[in-house]
Amino acid sequence: MQAYISALGTLLQPQNLFMMYLCNIIGAVLGAIPGLNGGLGMTLILPLTFAFSTEMSFGMLTGMYVGGCTGSFIAAVLIGIPGSASSIATCYDGYPMTKNGHAAKALSIGITASFIGTVVSILVAMICTTRIAEIALLLGPWEYFSLCLMAITMVIGLSNGSVFKGLMAACIGLWMSTIGSDLVTNQLRFTFHNPKLYGGINIVCLLMGVFALQQVATSYAKGEQTMPEVDTSSLSGFGLTLKDFVDNAKTIIVSMLIGLFIGFLPGMGSGISNLIAYGQAKRMSKHPERFGTGYDAGIWATEISNNAGLGGALIPMISLGIPGDSTCVLLMSGMTIHGLQPGPMFIKQNPELGALIFLIVLVSAILLFITQIFTKRWFPYLLKAPYHYLYSAILILCLMGAFSSTTSMFSVGLVVAFGVLGIMMDMFHIPFTPLMLAFILGGKIESYFRMGCSYARGDMTSFIRRPLSLIFILVAVFSVIWPLIGKVRKKVQK
């Protein structure tokens, strides 16, 4: 409790609170604009955090994270285009409700559901993270190696399209993590005699290129710069009563549990949870035929679950050092930049910072809820943002951020090279999440593997002789093999 009191005092310092709230609003705006998202905003401000204190940096990054998660439903409701994958299912009932003349109610449900999902999930994370970290301290390098391996393979198994493409992306990420001098032997690996690579690949350059530069280039190339007009005549009033909460209580609770559980699983994220929650809400409903026509429960289910995934994703990131979703990879990168190591010892070594991250999410959710309720009539103007100005500004920020992180033009060249790699991956439908997750965890996998072999005097069977490590390895193998078995079964049935 002392850590939370101290963290609250830090958060309420005017400069920290202002920067958190500012990034919170920017994240919500980026989340609302199709083609952009809060993750892009986090990538752009990563280089800026070099100049700020650790507390202010995490206020900015986490505030942007919450804003991006919460704002993505706006375009889904108003124009039927999801701001991000986390609001795909929101389009199914949100946009029909708007077309039926109930835009105010649809937006109010989205705002309130996002708030409930975020607040409840972060309260659960506050309780669970410390307990999980205490259990994790009992594990050895064998279990950690297997756990990291499982996290990567679970993402590969859930990759849209080919499992082999997900595996390819993960292999590229693992290879990139080995570039530079070996920490144990100081042997140079894949540096091609370039001194700029002796320290490895700068994570800011990788994220700027593969994530931000690629996203802007592909969105522009696809011509995603024009938005439909929005009828603003039905945006007055709040639109919700106590009866709405009572009637949808079961949907709210079940969707909350789905979001928390899927958010906890490495790499799954809100893009999956909102679709699963929507399907479950339809199965539970007494009126499944109303789904897709502007039904309240459809919006409640999707927005509760995708925001509940936020708290669920923070639990494994802080307690185990494994990001729960692709946006947590960015938050974890911020920790790495500031010399912090997420994992079982993080809460013990940095109790105030751990408490601060949770409080930032809680306070951000409250402030954003109040702001959105009073400004929702202005939401349509967010969708009229001129893309040619936005894209130009983002490109400049990408290149400036890369240069400022190392004060070297070589970093700018890396961003462009990674941008080209990202464009090619998008063209061939190779997923980005396995690459980023493998790059983040690559160093840990190598370190834990070496430690496990060293402690066991070179006996690599120790990884399968320890029960928990064996379970993680079996889950890892199953995650890759099961989608392949499913494809074979479909072919046989045909």
Side-chain angles (χ1 to χ4, degrees):
M1 183 56 71
Q2 182 62 39
Y4 282 101
I5 294 172
S6 179
L8 184 61
T10 302
L11 177 59
L12 293 180
Q13 291 177 9
Q15 68 274 19
N16 291 339
L17 189 63
F18 173 76
M19 292 303 292
M20 180 207 74
Y21 182 57
L22 177 63
C23 289
N24 202 210
I25 298 300
I26 293 173
V29 171
L30 291 175
I33 300 173
L36 307 180
N37 53 54
L40 175 63
M42 292 176 68
T43 307
L44 294 176
I45 65 172
L46 265 178
L48 301 179
T49 62
F50 284 110
F52 299 125
S53 66
T54 303
E55 292 76 14
M56 182 179 290
S57 299
F58 279 100
M60 294 166 65
L61 289 168
T62 312
M64 188 80 75
Y65 183 20
V66 176
C69 289
T70 304
S72 63
F73 76 92
I74 295 173
V77 167
L78 292 179
I79 58 176
I81 301 174
S84 69
S86 64
S87 294
I88 290 174
T90 306
C91 297
Y92 300 161
D93 283 283
Y95 188 50
M97 189 178 288
T98 296
K99 291 196 293 184
N100 293 339
H102 303 292
K105 184 176 183 179
L107 288 174
S108 294
I109 292 173
I111 293 168
T112 308
S114 298
F115 171 73
I116 294 172
T118 304
V119 169
V120 175
S121 69
I122 204 62
L123 293 175
V124 172
M126 287 179 178
I127 298 168
C128 295
T129 302
T130 305
R131 303 290 179 268
I132 293 174
E134 289 172 355
I135 295 170
L137 288 171
L138 303 175
L139 306 180
W142 306 273
E143 287 80 12
Y144 280 118
F145 167 80
S146 305
L147 184 62
C148 291
L149 184 66
M150 183 188 74
I152 294 173
T153 54
M154 285 185 70
V155 175
I156 292 170
L158 292 165
S159 299
N160 293 328
S162 172
V163 173
F164 294 107
K165 290 180 179 179
L167 187 61
M168 183 192 302
C171 288
I172 294 171
L174 286 172
W175 171 68
M176 286 181 177
S177 71
T178 64
I179 294 175
S181 59
D182 184 276
L183 295 177
V184 177
T185 65
N186 206 34
Q187 180 71 38
L188 296 177
R189 304 181 297 188
F190 305 111
T191 58
F192 306 102
H193 306 291
N194 188 336
K196 302 288 187 182
L197 291 175
Y198 287 1
I201 290 177
N202 189 308
I203 192 169
V204 173
C205 297
L206 179 64
L207 293 172
M208 287 286 182
V210 173
F211 193 80
L213 193 62
Q214 172 276 140
Q215 190 168 346
V216 170
T218 52
S219 295
Y220 186 81
K222 292 174 183 176
E224 297 173 356
Q225 295 96 40
T226 56
M227 294 291 116
E229 289 295 322
V230 179
D231 180 13
T232 58
S233 61
S234 59
L235 288 177
S236 59
F238 183 60
L240 290 181
T241 63
L242 182 61
K243 186 175 183 297
D244 291 300
F245 292 92
V246 175
D247 291 346
N248 294 283
K250 186 178 179 181
T251 299
I252 290 171
I253 294 170
V254 172
S255 301
M256 177 70 68
L257 295 174
I258 290 172
L260 277 168
F261 176 71
I262 292 179
F264 181 82
L265 297 176
M268 292 191 72
S270 53
I272 296 172
S273 64
N274 78 102
L275 293 167
I276 293 176
Y278 185 85
Q280 182 59 34
K282 188 173 182 179
R283 282 191 292 270
M284 292 190 307
S285 177
K286 295 178 180 177
H287 305 286
E289 72 281 355
R290 294 186 184 178
F291 280 77
T293 63
Y295 195 42
D296 298 14
I299 307 176
W300 281 108
T302 58
E303 290 306 310
I304 286 279
S305 62
N306 63 29
N307 283 270
L310 188 153
L314 286 177
I315 296 173
M317 188 197 79
I318 293 177
S319 61
L320 301 174
I322 295 175
D325 59 21
S326 57
T327 314
C328 270
V329 172
L330 303 174
L331 195 57
M332 195 167 163
S333 303
M335 289 185 172
T336 305
I337 287 172
H338 286 269
L340 298 168
Q341 184 64 45
M345 293 299 295
F346 180 79
I347 293 291
K348 279 187 173 293
Q349 294 173 346
N350 309 277
E352 185 177 326
L353 186 56
L356 180 64
I357 292 173
F358 293 135
L359 287 177
I360 289 169
V361 175
L362 191 62
V363 174
S364 293
I366 294 169
L367 291 177
L368 194 58
F369 173 73
I370 296 170
T371 303
Q372 287 182 323
I373 286 295
F374 287 102
T375 61
K376 68 178 182 181
R377 67 183 63 183
W378 299 336
F379 285 177
Y381 295 106
L382 299 178
L383 306 177
K384 296 181 179 180
Y387 275 75
H388 53 284
Y389 292 136
L390 284 174
Y391 286 167
S392 302
I394 290 169
L395 285 174
I396 292 171
L397 287 172
C398 282
L399 301 179
M400 287 179 61
F403 180 80
S404 64
S405 65
T406 59
T407 63
S408 169
M409 283 302 293
F410 180 75
S411 297
V412 177
L414 275 182
V415 170
V416 176
F418 288 136
V420 173
L421 173 64
I423 293 169
M424 292 177 65
M425 290 176 67
D426 183 74
M427 287 173 61
F428 293 103
H429 305 290
I430 299 173
F432 300 105
T433 303
L435 184 148
M436 291 193 292
L437 190 61
F439 181 80
I440 290 286
L441 298 180
K444 290 186 175 185
I445 286 179
E446 182 181 4
S447 175
Y448 291 138
F449 181 75
R450 279 179 163 173
M451 289 170 64
C453 290
S454 176
Y455 294 164
R457 298 178 182 272
D459 182 10
M460 288 193 288
T461 61
S462 57
F463 289 95
I464 59 174
R465 283 192 286 105
R466 294 175 69 93
L468 192 56
S469 176
L470 177 60
I471 291 171
F472 289 150
I473 289 174
L474 290 175
V475 173
V477 173
F478 180 80
S479 298
V480 176
I481 291 177
W482 181 250
L484 300 176
I485 294 173
K487 286 187 177 181
V488 172
R489 290 175 61 188
K490 286 181 180 178
K491 288 182 179 179
V492 171
Q493 288 174 357
K494 288 180 180 178

